[in-house]
Each structure stands twice: as C-alpha cells, then as structure tokens.
Amino acid sequence: MLFTAVSVLVLAGALLGLAFHRFRTTREEARSTLLYAELAKKYFAWLALRAIQMSRRASSKAWWEYLKGLPLWRAPVLEKWLYASFYASFLVLAGSGFFFTVFVPRGLYGFPLVGHVMAGGLFAVCLAAVVLFKGREFIAVPEPARLGPRKAGVTAARARRWSFWLFALAGFLLILTALLPMLPLLRTAGQKLMFELHRCSALAALAAAAVFAGLEAFAAQPTAGASGPPGPRPPRST
Amino acid sequence: MSRAGRTSLRAGAALLAAAFGLAAAAAGQTAAAPAGPASAPPAAGDQKQTAWNGDRTVPVHLIPLRDENDELIVPTETDPRPYSARFTCGPCHDYSAVAAGWHFGGTAAAGDGRPGEPWILSDPRTGTVLPLSYRAWPGSYGPEALGLSAWDFTLLFGRHMPGGGPAEPSDKEALAHPEARWNVSGKAEANCLACHNRSGRQDHSEWAKQVLRENLRWAATAAGGLGEVGGMASRLKGTWDVTDGPNLDDREWAVAPHVSYRAVDFDSKHRYFFDIAYPPADERCLACHSVSPVDESQWSAEADVHAAAGLKCADCHRNDLGHAIVRGYEGEAAATGSRTAEAFTCRGCHLGEDAKGRKTVAPGRLGAPYPRHAGIPPVHFDRLSCTVCHSGPKPKAGFTRVRTSRANRLGIYGVATWSTDVPAIVEPVYMKGRDRKIAPNRLVWPAFWAKRAGKSVTPLLPETVDGIAGDILGPEDRVARILAALSLAAEEDETPVLAAGRFVFEPNVDGGIDAAEEAGAKAGRAPFWGLRKGSEVLPLVPDFDPAAEDKDTAVETRFQEFLQALGAVAGRPGEPAIVVRKTLYRLVDGFLDVSEAPAGLAGASGPGWLAGGKLAPLASDFDVRTVTAKAGTERTLTEEQVGLVLEALAGKTGDAEAVYVSGGRMFRRAKDGTLAADDDDAAAPVAWPLAHDVRPAQQSLGRKGCTDCHSVGSDFFFAGAEAAGPLLTGKTAKLSAASAMGLGGLFQRLFGLSFVVRPVFKVVLGVCAAVAGALLLAAGLAALGRFAGFTGKG
C-alpha cells in the first residue's frame, strides 16, 4: 500500500513537473506571472485545457499516425530494432509490474509474470546495448569544480542527462535484483530485500523514463500541441 | 464385607454425606459420591493438581484402584470389578477436565479446527466407504444424522478410540437409545493408560478385542495389563447388569465379563503400581496414529526426522490437563484461542514466527535448526505450507497409497486379520486449505448408497442397504458356501475350486473366496467346479460312461460324498444332484440314487440343484459372472449389481432418488434402466492435511533446484490418478495434482518449460548486468574525474 502511494506520488510529480516545464517554456503568461498562487492557478487552468484538447484529438488512429511518424523508424535497421525492442520491453515491464502491484493484491503471477520475465530478458540485453553504444552522448559533465562562483540550477539538458543515467542505474539494479534471487545465494531476508529493491528500482526507472521521454518529446516539438500526442524520441545519433 | 452389603451402605453413606453437607475424604480416597459420567465438581479438600509445583519428576503411582462406584478394589476378592479411571485417577487429576479435551472426540471438545482424518465406515460387501465425524468437517457426515447412535459408533470405531466422548455418553444420551446395551457393557471411560502407560503390557489389541466383545467397562483394565478379563458382554441378555455377577446358567458361552487381577502388582494395602509415562511415549500415540505406505517394507520404512532426532510426539503435540492437544498447524492459535499453539508450529519452532509471519515466538525450541532456504523466492512461503516441501512421501505418479491405523485397523493383532487394504487412502495430494495455502493432504474417495432429494444427499447405512438388496450383494458368499461345503468331502491334498475365465476361486480361512489367475486360462473359459491337486485343476465331475460295465465305482462313491456335503449348504435352492450322460445321481434317504435323468434334464450335465424338475447350476450365471468380473481387483461391486440394488432401493426411498456414490461419481438408474454417472459434490474426495512424516532437509522438495517441481513432467504438478472406489466401472473421475491445487495445468507446463532455458537466461542477465554495471562505473568514474579536473573535457 505504501509502495502504491509512493508510486502514484512519484509518477504524478514527474508528469506534473514535465507539464510545468512545458508551461513555463511555452506560455507567455507563465513568464509574466510573479505570484506563485497566480502562477499555479494559470498552470492548472492551462493543464486542464491541454488535457481536454489532447483527449479530443486522441484516437487510435491519431496514436497510430503519431507512432508511424516517430523518427525511430527512419533509423538504421539495427538501431531501429534495438530501440523498438527497448521501448516495447520497458512498456511491457512497467505496465505489467505496476498494474499488478497497484490493482492486484496477490501481485504479479501467472502468464503476466512469464511475460514480465521474458520482457525482462529482452530489456536487459537492450539496456546493456543502449548504455554501451549511446551512453557516450550523455557523458557531458560540468566544468571542473572550482571554488569560485559557477552556474547552477536544473536545466533541461541536465535533467535529460541525469534521467538517462538514473534510468541506466535503475535498469542495472533491476537486472541485478532479478538475477540474484534466481541464484542459490540469498536467504529469505535477502530475497525479500531484493524484491523491495526491484520494486523501488522499477519506480525510479519509470520516473526517469517519464522525465527523459517528456523532455525528448518536448524538444522534438517546440510548438506545443501542434502535432498530436507527445511521445518518445530516439536519442540523436552522433 | 460382601459387595452387596457395601453397595447398600454406599447409598446410605451418600445420603448422610448429602444431609450433613460433608465431602470429607479419608487419606488416599475421595469422598465424591458415586456419580454418573457427568460427574459432580471436585469435592472440597481434594488433592487435584491444578498447578505445577515445579517438580520435573513423575511421582510413583502406587495408588488404590477404585471401581466405577468409587469403591476400593481388592484384587483377591471374589469377582472384583474393573478399575475406573474416573475414580482411580480422578482424585488427583480432574477427570471432567481431561474427558472434555479434544483428544476424546468431537462430542466433548468445542471447536472443530482444521479438518483431520475422519472415522471411515468401511464395508466391502455393500461398497461403503463413508467418512464420519462428530466435527463439522467438509465431506464428513455426522453420525447422528445417519442414525448412528453413540453405541453404534463405539462398537464401530471404539477399537481405536481412547475412551470417553461417544464411548461414555451421559445417562440422558444413553437412555435416549434403549436399543443400546450400555447397561450390559458399561461405558468406556477416558482411558488414561492408553497413552500414559509406560508398561510393555499395555495392549492395544486387547482393547480392541474387549470393545468388540462389548466389555467396555473392562476394556481399560484388560488393555492396561492390570488383569485378565474373560467373558463377553455381547453374549449376555440385555437385562444383565454388572451387579448380577457371573452368569450361573451358562459357564461356556454366555459368560459374564470378569476380571482376574495380577495380584503381584499390588502391595499389601491393595495399592496398584502404575508405570506412568509423562509425557506419553511415541509407541502409545502410534497405536492409533500410524500411517505407512502400502508398498513399503517395514525394514525400509523411514521415521519422521523429528523422531530420528530424538523428539517425541508429545514434545510438539503438547497439552495441559484439558487435553486440548496442540495439533501444530498454522492458525490453530486463532481457531482455538490458545496462544500456546502458535509456538508449536513449524514456523514457531524453526523461524520463531507466528502464523502471520511476526517474530513473536522464540525460535529454536528443542534445537530446531533455522532453515537457510537459499534461493527460494519468498512467494513460496506465502502460498505453500512448510509441509508441502518437507512432509509426506515425495510426489509420484498415481500418488502414494497409505494405510492409517484408524481407517485400516492397524495395530490389532490376533488370530483374525484385522487390518484391511480398504479404504484406499492416497497422499500427498496438494490442495488449498482454509488459509488459502497449499498443503499436502491425505485423500479418500467416498462410496455409499444414498437418497437424493434435490441437492440433499443422505447416505444409507450398510445394514439398511444389505437388508434391501438381499441376494444381489452376496455372490461371493454363495460361492464360498459351496466351496466350503465341498471341502468337507475333499481329500487332504485336494482343494475344491470354481474355475471360470482366467481365474480359479478357492475358499479361504475367513469364509470368503480367494481368486488366483491360472496360467494359460482364457477369459472366455466356461465355468466348472473342480478339485485342485497341486497345480492341476480337475473337474469335480469327470466325464465317464455310467452305463459302462467297467466303470470305476470309486467315482460314484465320491459323488455320494459331494452330494452329502452339498446337502449342508445353507439357503440352497434345491436338492443337490449330479447329471452325467443322462444319468441322474442324487441322495434318497441318505443313499446314492442312480437313475435315468428325466426328460426335463435333457442337456443338463454336472453338479447342480434339482428343483422343479430342472437342474440349476450350483452357482447362478449372475454369481459366476459377478465374481469373475471382480477377480483380481479391489472392486467389490459390478455395474450390474449396482443397477439391481438401485432398482431394489427405488421402492424404499419414497420421493427421493436412490443413488450410489463411488469413484468420484454419483450413479443412478436412468429412465432406460442403464446406469448413468454424474458429477456431484457428494462424490468429491474427502481430504485432510498431513504433517508427518517430515523428511530430512536433504530430501525436501526444491533441494535439487526449482525443477523438483517446475518442470514439464513434474509429479508435483502433473501426478494424476483415477478415483478409487468399490465399483468396477470405467466411469470414474480423474484427479490431477494441478487441478487439486486449483491451478491450471497448461500454465504450469509452460512455466516448467521455461526452466529449460533458465540457465541460459541467468547467463544472459549476468552478462548484461556486468556490461551495464561496468559502463555505469566507468561513467561515474569519468564524471568524478572531470568533476575533480583530472581529465579534460571532450
């Protein structure tokens, strides 16, 4: 129950944060408002309006068109299938895992569990490949530390990098916490710890993925609301 | 003083005591007035032990024996009475508290608890395997609802009861059934010695024998080895009373029960030495609670790992004076209100956890090791009871057939064979319990005749069915009677037999018949009566020419012997006769009469019954067909028999429909007269969780890895068996392990299949984790290096 509440709060926070970033970045009234209460009022009004607009535009056909239009499909064949497998396996994992955690008291079991495990294997391979071949794009780190004043703050670029590495770290922990319980090493307490760590890592991965995808989608579509539902964009190749 | 004199004084003394309000006690005696089973509360000033004083020794039990009238037993006295636990043990141990305990049956104890092994009324003749219990357990029927009084129940199952409960009904209950013979037999009090006697003289077989003889009040004395009990209450008239003393009219047959005490065990003050064990020895528990695989040899049978480690049954199955013996299952504490119970579960001793997994119990009791359970996902502990992996035989195809003391009458020895193969109980069948956890169960398929009205099914007792069915259920008896009669005329090296189909039937010592398959015999062989000499079976009536002048006269002499023997068969349909080539042999005034067979016997041949001018075969086609069909099987009924009995019952069950339950199906007569089989809840198997024998950790499931259970062909999930039952039919239900657990077999097969690639999967995950981990480490180090200025940008 506690985990469910935390999950909801974390995901809601991530999504609201992304939406607020978009609001601040794209709306003139957001920049011209100084009072927090006024800002919040305008933000939620915009959010409600945006939600209504999106729900009116959203349809299976619109989603399909959006998916077909993703730059992912224009990537080289290996890269295309790597990302397709990566995204699909992660969606299956997140969908099955969180649905059963939140809505099924017994947790994940039966055929969904088998699907979850199979998707987990695919995800592990894809994650290793993505970190191996694309991690370098996110290795840009700050200037060397110095004692004098320096530029600070959370920028979109930094958030994108951090979310990538947070996702990679959480993914690594997900693999590890799936692997270790299968080995005859851990006793019951260790097994339970791995299970909790697996859930927490999954939540961290989901939140990081949401932030990363949100920022990527926003970066790809600077004119907000102009071309259908937001979605992930493949990392730019070097 | 004579017994009569003491008895009359007793009444006067009781009145005086009541008048003065006294309940005085002399040393070593209680002053409680003679009372019925529902005894009065303990008298003031008694010596009952209500609290432990800290002494860990068992005091020497050199105590006076007292009878059911609370009178001192003098062993050298003429015709002494049997001892009474109520008045012998009662002065120090509150008998009422003891007898109200769980161990003395569902009539005495409150709360039904988790289902346990029911009493199983087994009657092969009527094909009855009927689970009974005074406790409201699923699948078991209440004895009263079927018309079984406490008296009936005691005679049926008293052999394995510890006394008390149904065997010691209140006076009101006893009077409610005047047909019962409590006044003759007395009541079987809670038998303290059944469990607490350390003496090697404690004889469970003697207890069973005395119960069968209806010597209930004498049973404890005889079984405890206190003395020798003779006579049989079952042969006495219903008007006999224990105060009548010996039956002076009959010293051979209807001998009244009497006891001759072992005087050597008494001291000069008439005190008897009881060799008491506290807690009881395992031997005493196992007298009624043994369970062993049918196909196991005694020398190769394994003991429970706890017993092998030196623990006794009572180390875990503890109780206080109330004898609410801890059963040791999770949830017992909540069910019974005894917080002590949660400490004596598997989890309590080994993990220090209560049923909810809280660490509320001190672990390691009696050296219980803490289990590693390395590599086992915790979901197993949420969904499975400990016994799944650790108890009972390992799962195998067809399950393991076992015998239990109470169901199969084990532990009773004597001239007669008491133990039985039926009912067929199998284990381990994994099923979900009330706590939604899967646990191994013992399982028996019920079989009984019943009345069905709507969804209500009321079983019929075997004697009711037998009375209505008449001859339908007795083909074996009739064949046995004929063979037994013929054996009177057989030579020493000859055994009369009936040969039919592939089998040869011989009489056995129990008055029944044994079937043996004959090598080379064909299934369609015509039946004939014969004599077996060694391995050769010769016809009883050899083919010869009676008109021949050189015929062997010895043959006709044997014919006369056979006819004389057959003339003694009870219930024969006619006079015995033999026809050979149109010659009729029969007995007239005790002499062999040889005559030409009348025209009505044209075509007849061999031995038979002459009635109405016809020669009927010794055993009817129905009898031969029936015994031949069942030969070599455990089945005791054919579909034909069931159909006929259902037809006979149809007119006796009123508006209700007569049905027969066997093999997991309910059989009824369809409108066209055929036998139809339906599924019905009443035909479902009756199961109860098992806990023993516990196997060593190295033999537990999962020790060799996940594939002990999670594999494509694992017996844990995919063992299956046909339902057992007395009816010979192909319409039985089938039980699979997965369905018994409420799980889908397809999923478990696919899931098991996934373990084939599990090792590869682990390697892949390991490599991916290593690559991702190494890159993360490298990225982290690079970032740290850049942050510290050790490395340049870009």
Side-chain angles (χ1 to χ4, degrees):
Chain A
M1 189 62 198
L2 177 65
F3 180 78
T4 301
V6 170
S7 301
V8 170
L9 288 175
V10 167
L11 291 178
L15 295 176
L16 286 173
L18 282 171
F20 187 72
H21 170 65
R22 191 185 190 95
F23 173 66
R24 282 290 299 267
T25 313
T26 59
R27 307 299 295 183
E28 185 57 37
E29 68 267 29
R31 295 198 193 100
S32 61
T33 306
L34 294 176
L35 294 172
Y36 285 133
E38 192 67 21
L39 185 66
K41 193 175 169 185
K42 287 180 177 173
Y43 166 62
F44 284 111
W46 170 83
L47 193 62
L49 184 65
R50 173 101 178 118
I52 292 168
Q53 287 175 341
M54 286 184 68
S55 66
R56 282 182 182 164
R57 278 208 303 273
S59 66
S60 54
K61 188 179 175 187
W63 276 104
W64 181 241
E65 291 300 321
Y66 175 76
L67 284 175
K68 281 200 300 185
L70 287 174
L72 160 71
W73 306 112
R74 296 188 290 278
V77 64
L78 276 178
E79 196 174 321
K80 176 170 68 178
W81 287 110
L82 171 66
Y83 284 121
S85 304
F86 188 43
Y87 297 152
S89 61
F90 182 71
L91 287 174
V92 169
L93 289 170
S96 57
F98 282 95
F99 176 82
F100 277 83
T101 298
V102 173
F103 297 109
V104 181
R106 181 180 167 179
L108 193 53
Y109 71 99
F111 284 110
L113 175 62
V114 175
H116 189 86
V117 172
M118 290 168 66
L122 184 61
F123 173 77
V125 173
C126 293
L127 178 75
V130 166
V131 176
L132 182 62
F133 296 113
K134 298 294 175 185
R136 67 189 71 129
E137 293 179 22
F138 302 94
I139 204 70
V141 291
E143 290 293 317
R146 54 179 182 269
L147 294 176
R150 55 172 296 181
K151 188 180 176 184
V154 179
T155 63
R158 281 176 181 165
R160 187 168 153 272
R161 273 201 303 275
W162 292 346
S163 60
F164 175 85
W165 287 110
L166 176 62
F167 183 85
L169 179 63
F172 166 70
L173 288 176
L174 281 169
I175 299 169
L176 205 61
T177 52
L179 174 64
L180 287 179
M182 285 193 277
L183 304 176
L185 301 173
L186 301 173
R187 296 186 182 193
T188 307
Q191 295 273 350
K192 288 181 177 175
L193 178 67
M194 287 297 112
F195 177 73
E196 292 301 327
L197 201 53
H198 192 80
R199 296 205 303 179
C200 294
S201 303
L203 180 58
L206 186 61
V211 171
F212 185 88
L215 292 173
E216 285 284 296
F218 180 53
Q221 298 162 10
T223 53
S227 61
R233 186 190 69 166
R236 286 154 296 194
S237 56
T238 53
Chain B
M1 182 183 287
S2 71
R3 171 170 302 284
R6 282 212 314 269
T7 306
S8 57
L9 278 179
R10 165 174 51 82
L15 283 172
L16 278 173
F20 290 102
L22 294 174
Q29 301 181 20
T30 351
S39 84
D46 66 14
Q47 300 176 4
K48 291 192 196 311
Q49 294 180 349
T50 52
W52 181 42
N53 65 6
D55 177 36
R56 289 179 180 271
T57 65
V58 178
V60 173
H61 282 66
L62 188 61
I63 53 177
L65 297 187
R66 309 194 74 83
D67 67 16
E68 63 184 1
N69 292 324
D70 198 15
E71 291 187 9
L72 181 69
I73 291 172
V74 179
T76 51
E77 187 181 50
T78 303
D79 194 25
R81 296 267 178 90
Y83 96 98
S84 157
R86 176 188 294 276
F87 293 107
T88 300
C89 311
C92 295
H93 310 286
D94 187 347
Y95 181 86
S96 322
V98 172
W102 169 275
H103 198 238
F104 299 97
T107 55
D112 299 318
R114 186 177 78 167
E117 179 181 349
W119 296 97
I120 299 176
L121 174 53
S122 180
D123 179 51
R125 180 181 168 86
T126 55
T128 300
V129 179
L130 184 59
L132 302 171
S133 180
Y134 285 101
R135 308 183 203 277
W137 286 338
S140 296
Y141 293 89
E144 307 98 331
L146 305 186
L148 280 175
S149 65
W151 171 257
D152 301 323
F153 195 84
T154 301
L155 290 191
L156 279 170
F157 303 114
R159 54 183 164 76
H160 279 97
M161 283 162 54
E168 193 189 19
S170 66
D171 289 342
K172 187 181 172 186
E173 290 167 324
L175 289 172
H177 292 278
E179 75 283 3
R181 289 164 53 88
W182 296 111
N183 60 316
V184 181
S185 67
K187 296 168 184 174
E189 296 174 342
N191 182 12
C192 308
L193 295 181
C195 304
H196 292 287
N197 195 355
R198 198 202 307 266
S199 167
R201 290 183 179 280
Q202 181 65 35
D203 186 355
H204 181 73
S205 303
E206 187 65 27
W207 169 271
K209 199 190 304 176
Q210 296 300 331
V211 169
L212 190 71
R213 292 173 176 177
E214 298 181 10
N215 297 343
L216 300 185
R217 63 161 65 87
W218 291 268
T221 301
L226 279 72
E228 187 182 344
V229 172
M232 296 189 195
S234 59
R235 292 179 177 175
L236 297 175
K237 290 180 180 174
T239 53
W240 184 83
D241 185 88
V242 68
T243 55
D244 294 348
N247 184 0
L248 301 177
D249 298 332
D250 190 343
R251 295 179 186 276
E252 296 294 330
W253 173 256
V255 179
H258 54 276
V259 57
S260 171
Y261 282 101
R262 279 173 52 83
V264 70
D265 290 332
F266 288 82
D267 69 1
S268 60
K269 297 174 185 172
H270 308 309
R271 295 182 302 182
Y272 182 84
F273 171 65
F274 284 103
D275 191 3
I276 293 297
Y278 175 83
D282 288 1
E283 186 86 356
R284 300 269 57 83
C285 307
L286 294 172
C288 297
H289 298 286
S290 288
V291 180
S292 298
V294 168
D295 55 0
E296 191 85 61
S297 304
Q298 188 175 13
W299 65 270
S300 64
E302 299 289 353
D304 187 287
V305 70
H306 294 93
L311 271 70
K312 298 192 292 291
C313 305
D315 285 335
C316 298
H317 299 290
R318 301 184 186 192
N319 62 275
D320 60 7
L321 187 69
H323 283 67
I325 294 174
V326 170
R327 298 174 68 197
Y329 63 90
E330 288 177 23
E332 184 180 8
T336 62
S338 165
R339 279 188 52 78
T340 313
E342 71 185 17
F344 292 96
T345 62
C346 308
R347 290 165 75 112
C349 289
H350 289 278
L351 298 170
E353 293 178 355
D354 65 10
K356 293 181 178 174
R358 295 172 301 202
K359 299 275 185 185
T360 57
V361 181
R365 170 175 286 110
L366 300 172
Y370 195 92
R372 284 178 55 83
H373 286 148
I376 300 178
V379 68
H380 289 78
F381 309 119
D382 297 334
R383 315 292 299 175
L384 309 177
S385 75
C386 305
T387 48
V388 166
C389 301
H390 294 283
S391 292
K394 280 193 171 182
K396 70 173 190 181
F399 305 106
T400 297
R401 174 102 174 251
V402 296
R403 281 183 289 225
T404 76
S405 291
R406 290 184 289 154
N408 302 93
R409 306 185 203 174
L410 308 183
I412 305 172
Y413 301 99
V415 177
T417 305
W418 280 73
S419 63
T420 60
D421 287 334
V422 291
I425 299 174
V426 294
E427 67 175 46
V429 181
Y430 300 99
M431 305 171 88
K432 276 183 187 162
R434 291 176 181 173
D435 57 359
R436 308 300 300 158
K437 281 189 177 181
I438 290 170
N441 282 249
R442 296 198 175 99
L443 178 148
V444 67
W445 295 91
F448 53 86
W449 302 88
K451 294 185 291 185
R452 182 171 72 173
K455 289 187 176 179
S456 168
V457 175
T458 308
L460 299 170
L461 292 175
E463 54 264 33
T464 307
V465 177
D466 206 6
I468 296 171
D471 290 342
I472 302 168
L473 298 174
E476 287 82 2
D477 295 345
R478 288 189 287 277
V479 171
R481 280 202 293 269
I482 293 164
L483 290 173
L486 287 173
S487 39
L488 297 175
E491 302 291 340
E492 273 189 20
D493 60 343
E494 293 174 340
T495 306
V497 297
L498 167 65
R502 293 182 294 112
F503 295 93
V504 173
F505 300 90
E506 292 181 10
N508 62 29
V509 293
D510 293 326
I513 53 173
D514 290 335
E517 198 162 354
E518 188 181 359
K522 294 182 178 176
R525 179 173 62 168
F528 68 92
W529 298 89
L531 291 167
R532 186 172 60 75
K533 272 187 167 183
S535 59
E536 195 178 10
V537 176
L538 303 170
L540 190 73
V541 178
D543 187 26
F544 74 106
D545 184 2
E549 291 183 1
D550 59 344
K551 66 183 178 185
D552 184 0
T553 53
V555 174
E556 293 186 339
T557 305
R558 300 242 30 205
F559 279 13
Q560 183 174 4
E561 292 169 355
F562 290 143
L563 292 172
Q564 284 171 340
L566 289 170
V569 171
R572 61 187 184 279
E575 290 307 311
I578 296 173
V579 176
V580 181
R581 295 191 185 184
K582 296 184 180 176
T583 301
L584 174 66
Y585 295 86
R586 58 178 175 164
L587 293 177
V588 176
D589 297 332
F591 296 97
L592 184 67
D593 180 73
V594 184
S595 59
E596 187 178 346
L601 300 184
S605 178
W609 306 110
L610 195 59
K614 303 276 185 186
L615 186 73
L618 285 184
S620 68
D621 289 346
F622 170 74
D623 288 356
V624 174
R625 187 168 63 240
T626 303
V627 297
T628 307
K630 293 185 284 188
T633 73
E634 276 191 337
R635 314 299 185 213
T636 59
L637 295 174
T638 62
E639 288 193 6
E640 184 181 13
Q641 282 180 297
V642 170
L644 290 170
V645 175
L646 287 176
E647 191 177 3
L649 287 173
K652 310 282 186 182
T653 52
D655 294 337
E657 183 183 23
V659 294
Y660 178 63
V661 166
S662 174
R665 310 295 293 277
M666 180 176 278
F667 295 86
R668 60 182 171 79
R669 266 179 81 86
K671 288 179 181 173
D672 60 358
T674 57
L675 202 60
D678 304 319
D679 291 323
D680 194 280
D681 288 345
V686 176
W688 58 98
L690 68 89
H692 296 286
D693 289 341
V694 177
R695 301 191 300 273
Q698 296 213 38
Q699 294 179 13
S700 57
L701 285 180
R703 180 72 182 186
K704 293 180 187 169
C706 309
T707 48
D708 274 4
C709 300
H710 297 295
S711 58
V712 177
S714 102
D715 288 328
F716 179 81
F717 283 116
F718 308 114
E722 280 201 13
L727 176 58
L728 182 68
T729 178
K731 299 170 186 169
T732 52
K734 291 175 179 58
L735 178 75
S736 77
S739 65
M741 284 185 256
L743 301 175
L746 175 64
F747 169 75
Q748 295 303 336
R749 281 197 194 278
L750 290 174
F751 193 56
L753 193 63
S754 74
F755 282 80
V756 175
V757 295
R758 182 66 72 101
V760 178
F761 186 69
K762 290 177 189 173
V763 171
V764 169
L765 283 189
V767 170
C768 292
V771 170
L775 290 171
L776 278 165
L777 183 64
L781 288 174
L784 189 62
R786 288 289 305 280
F787 185 73
F790 294 169
T791 56
K793 188 179 179 184

